Structures are given as structure tokens and as C-alpha cells.
Amino acid sequence: MGAIDDLPPLREVIRTHDLQARKSMGQNFLLDLNLTAKIARQAGDLTGCDVLEIGPGPGGLTRGLLSEGARHVLAIEKDARCLPALSEVAAAYPGRLTVLEGDALDIDPLAHLTPPIRVAANLPYNVGTELLVRWLTPQDWPPFWQSLTLMFQREVAERIVAGPGSKTYGRLAILAQWRADARIVLQLPPEAFTPPPKVSSSVVHLQALPKPRFEADAAVLSRVVAAAFNQRRKMLRAALKGVAPDIEDRLIAAGLSPTDRAEQIPLEGFCALARAVAQT
Ligand code: SAM
């Protein structure tokens, strides 16, 4: 196994800085630097790009991103214990790594980034899903990022790429596929992590489309899709009762049947419905 840089192996970094993984922080570390470099390669050509990394931990993926040529990495980490280890990475890549301590859900990273920007992260899945939804739902498009390369529990990854008719098809699939190309690019068994989580993980790569696949207002689409899948077994006319008083007419105007269920409706149908709901 060849070294990707001159820094110590991650097991040694963890020992030196006493970085026992904490469950409360959702910490499952990747210690194989060849694997982290492989994940970094899934993010596309990093040369000439700034990369936003959330949750660098002891720095495995950070080192992958830097060794793969990222122009600059901005890493946001909540656990202050990781900062000394990350300072060593910053020293090995002068001027190319900035670390901010804090909760990624509270920090606006944009002041520290210059386009083109890619995002890469191995995060606790609940934080990852919350950030993914935020990154996919700005009112205006294209977003600040060109691509997102994110580790998820396999089950969440499958929800992002699911198509109509599948049990995993829902809000995440619609939001992701409306404005991006989304694919699973790597599958990782629990043993790839230290400590191993209970379930398998997948890396999802999302490439922002220059414009959404179908016209719709982002806020209206989000509201319609959330209501439709909140009660996914109900017919649309019942599930969407709260969205508009004349929802049956609007469903018909969108070319949908009021007795359809959310699971059967393709992305295009939800966008047509969002347009019909937005009409005054
Ligand atoms: N990227 C490292 C790796 O692949 O080995 C660490 C991955 S570990 C699954 C998740 C990391 O996210 C931890 O370092 C944890 O401290 C950090 N983290 C958890 N919640 C966070 C949050 N809200 N904001 C920023 N970092 C967070």
C-alpha cells in the first residue's frame, strides 16, 4: 500500500492525539488513505476547485482531497479534539487547508470559498441528510456547488437515487433528481470504518444540473412533495388536502389522477403539480 503523503498513518495520528471515536459525534473514521483518495477521486477533477469538507475528523478524507489536487479545502469540524491533527495536515499542505471549528448546520462557509466549489463529506447520516436537503433547496439555481460527494448509510443513498414505484422513492429522490444527476459511486462494508457501524455505507455523487429538469418553484415543490409522501399510502387527493382547497382540480390540471398515490408519480408529474398549485 503506497503512502499518499508524508504524514503519519491515521492509526498513529489517532493514538498521538488520543482521538477515540465518540458515538455522540457520529464518529466512524476511515483510516485507509488509499480508500479516502479513491473517494476523493469520485468528487471529480479537484484541481482548480475549492472543496468544502464537512466533518474531517482525524483528516483521512481531507488528506485524500489534498493529495488528489484540491486547490483549497475548507473543513468544518465540530469536535475540537480533532483540531491539532488537522493543523498537522494544514502544515503539510501550506496555504491549502483552512479548518473552522463548529457545527456545520450553523456555519455559512461561503465567505471562505471561491468558485468553482465541490463538496465532499463523510458525516453522521442525520446531519448529512439535513445538509443535503439544504444544498438541494435554495430558491435560485444553480447553487454554490458544482458537485456533492457524500457518504450515507446505504438505505439513505438508495432513497436519493430511487425511481417511482420503488419503496424507497420519496422526498429525497425528488429533490435530488429534480436539480442534479445522482448516482451511487461506491459501496463500503461496515469494516471499512473504525469503529464499524451496524450498516453498510454508500458514497453518492450529485452533479448540479445547469437548470432544474422541469420548471417548478422550489418552495412549492418541497411543500407538495413533503405532504404527498408524509402519507404515502393515501391517495393524492387525501394526502394533499391541506395544500390547496381545490386540490382535486389542480391534480387534474397537472395531468394526474386524484386517486393516484405519491409513490407512482414521476418527477415530471410532481413538477406539473407544483406549477398547478402555484397558479393563482
Ligand atoms: N471524515 C472523517 C473520516 O472519514 O474518517 C470523519 C468521519 S465521522 C463519520 C463524522 C465526522 O463529522 C466526525 O469527525 C464528527 O466529529 C464530525 N461532525 C459530526 N457532526 C458534525 C457537525 N454538525 N458539524 C461538523 N462536523 C460534525
Side-chain angles (χ1 to χ4, degrees), residues 151-277:
M151 182 86 68
F152 286 103
Q153 290 187 338
R154 192 172 185 159
E155 175 264 327
V156 177
E158 278 164 7
R159 286 205 271 136
I160 296 169
V161 303
S166 117
K167 278 208 173 65
T168 47
Y169 182 60
R171 177 167 167 257
L172 271 187
I174 305 274
L175 295 182
Q177 296 168 35
W178 177 44
R179 287 170 148 180
D181 275 325
R183 327 179 265 126
I184 293 179
V185 289
L186 270 183
Q187 307 273 17
L188 281 89
E191 312 81 69
F193 301 85
T194 304
K198 289 205 178 68
V199 294
S200 296
S201 301
S202 306
V203 177
V204 182
H205 182 76
L206 297 108
Q207 188 78 36
L209 296 171
K211 61 186 185 67
R213 242 176 260 281
F214 307 104
E215 204 185 305
D217 177 86
V220 178
L221 180 65
S222 277
R223 193 152 52 86
V224 165
V225 169
F229 285 100
N230 231 346
Q231 305 185 66
R232 59 190 293 140
R233 292 222 203 85
K234 287 202 172 165
M235 291 177 187
L236 288 176
R237 67 175 173 218
L240 295 174
K241 230 170 29 201
V243 170
D246 53 351
I247 193 64
E248 289 218 25
D249 294 343
R250 293 185 192 251
L251 282 160
I252 291 163
L256 303 177
S257 159
T259 58
D260 280 345
R261 289 177 170 79
E263 233 167 66
Q264 305 160 261
I265 309 298
L267 170 61
E268 189 172 5
F270 277 112
C271 293
L273 180 57
R275 293 197 298 276
V277 165

Side-chain angles (χ1 to χ4, degrees), residues 7-20 22 57-58 63 79-89:
L7 287 157
L10 284 158
R11 277 186 202 287
E12 196 178 313
V13 172
I14 284 180
R15 238 189 344 263
T16 310
H17 297 282
D18 202 17
L19 294 176
Q20 259 49 269
R22 284 195 182 148
R63 288 164 63 176
D79 184 355
R81 294 181 310 150
C82 299
L83 300 188
L86 294 167
S87 296
E88 289 174 8
V89 180

Side-chain angles (χ1 to χ4, degrees), residues 25-30 53-58 61 76-79 82 102-105 122-124 127:
M25 289 273 186
Q27 291 176 339
N28 302 94
F29 298 135
L30 290 167
E53 186 195 359
I54 313 289
L61 180 56
I76 303 179
E77 174 55 61
K78 191 172 171 182
D79 184 355
C82 299
D103 188 330
L105 295 169
N122 171 21
L123 270 175
V127 183

